[in-house]
Amino acid sequence: MSLSPARREEYEIPLQPLPGIKLERDLSLGQRLWQQGWLRKSLILLALALIWEAAARYQANDLLLPSFLQTAKAFVEGISSGELLEKVAISLSVLVKGYLIGIVLAFLLTSLAVSTQLGRDLLSTLTSMFNPLPAIALLPLSLLWFGLGENSLIFVLVHSVLWALALNTYAGFLGVSETQRMAGRNYGLKGLRFVLFILIPAALPSILSGLKIGWAFAWRTLIAAELVFGASSGKGGLGWYIFQNRNELYTDKVFAGLVAVILIGLLVENLIFASIERVTVKRWGMQR
C-alpha cells in the first residue's frame, strides 16, 4: 500500500511596505559629471596639453618643440587670417571626392561578391593583391598617369578606402545569419534589393568599422600625398601647409597644422560616425 505524500496547505506572507526608502541612488555632483563622456575626454586632452607644455618648457628650444601656448597662438592666427581654413577646405574637398568614390566602388565589388562565385573570386584576388600595397607607393604611378593635381590625389585616396571597406563589408555580409537571409528570400528579395534591405542593415556594424578605417587611411594618405604634391606643384592643403612652414622653420605653425589634422579627425569620429552609430546600430540594439 503506497502512501501519498502529505499535502501542505498554501499560504501567503504579506510583505510589509518600506516607506521612506528610495529606490534610486542619489549621485553626487562629481559622479554625475563623471558620467559625461565629453567631460572625461576633455580632461584627457587637458592633461596631454599640460604634459606638452611642461615638456616644451623643460626642452627650452622653440625650434625643436614649441610650447602648447605658442602652438595655440599660431593656430588662432592661422584661423583668423584664413590661411589655415583655406588649406583645410582644399584638403577636405579632395578627401570627400576620393572617399565617396571609394565607397561606391567597394559597394559594387562586395555586392558582386555576395551574388556570384566569380565576384567572390575577384574580391579575394584583388584584396590579396592590393590591400597590402601602401597607397603612398602609388604616388609615382599616379603622377605618371594623371599628372600633378587633384586627380592624382583622388587616385591614391580611392586605393586607401576601397580595400579596407570592401573587406569589412564582405566580412559583415558573411556574418549575417541564415534566418535573416531566409526572411529576405521569403519576401522575394534578390540581387541588389536583397543587399540593400537585408545584408546592409544586418552587417551595418562591420560596414561602419570599414568606413572608419577607410576614413583614417584616406586622411593619413592625403596629408602624406600633399607633402609630395605640394612640394612639386607649389600648392596643396594641410600637408603643403605643414611642409612649407617646416622649410621656413616656423615650427609653431607646423604644430598648428598637425593640431588641425588631429582636430578634424576627432570631429569626424565624435560627431559624424558617433551620430550615425547612435541613430542606427545602437538604437537597434546591435551595439552596446
Side-chain angles (χ1 to χ4, degrees), residues 81-102:
S81 66
E83 181 183 11
L84 195 54
L85 291 177
E86 180 185 359
K87 300 302 182 182
V88 169
I90 292 174
S91 294
L92 289 182
S93 64
V94 177
L95 178 67
V96 169
K97 294 176 184 177
Y99 191 63
L100 292 179
I101 294 174

Side-chain angles (χ1 to χ4, degrees), residues 41 265-275 278:
K41 294 179 181 180
L266 289 175
L267 289 175
V268 171
E269 177 70 25
N270 292 282
L271 290 181
I272 297 179
F273 286 118
S275 299
R278 185 172 58 254

Side-chain angles (χ1 to χ4, degrees), residues 18 24 29-30 71 129 173 184 210 225:
L18 302 174
E24 68 278 0
L29 178 61
T71 302
M129 291 171 57
F173 286 170

Side-chain angles (χ1 to χ4, degrees), residues 155-235:
F155 176 76
V156 294
L157 289 178
V158 170
H159 174 80
S160 299
V161 176
L162 175 58
W163 311 115
L165 179 56
L167 280 175
N168 277 270
T169 302
Y170 185 63
F173 286 170
L174 293 179
V176 178
S177 66
E178 191 62 30
T179 302
Q180 291 173 300
R181 295 174 182 270
M182 292 175 62
R185 297 190 190 99
N186 289 337
Y187 279 101
L189 299 179
K190 296 180 180 179
L192 185 59
R193 296 178 68 239
F194 181 78
V195 174
L196 290 175
F197 295 108
I198 298 298
L199 295 183
I200 289 182
L204 196 54
S206 296
I207 295 174
L208 287 176
S209 297
L211 289 172
K212 288 182 181 180
I213 296 173
W215 148 257
F217 285 175
W219 188 226
R220 290 185 300 181
T221 300
L222 176 63
I223 299 303
E226 282 181 341
L227 291 171
V228 177
F229 285 110
S232 302
S233 61
K235 60 182 178 179

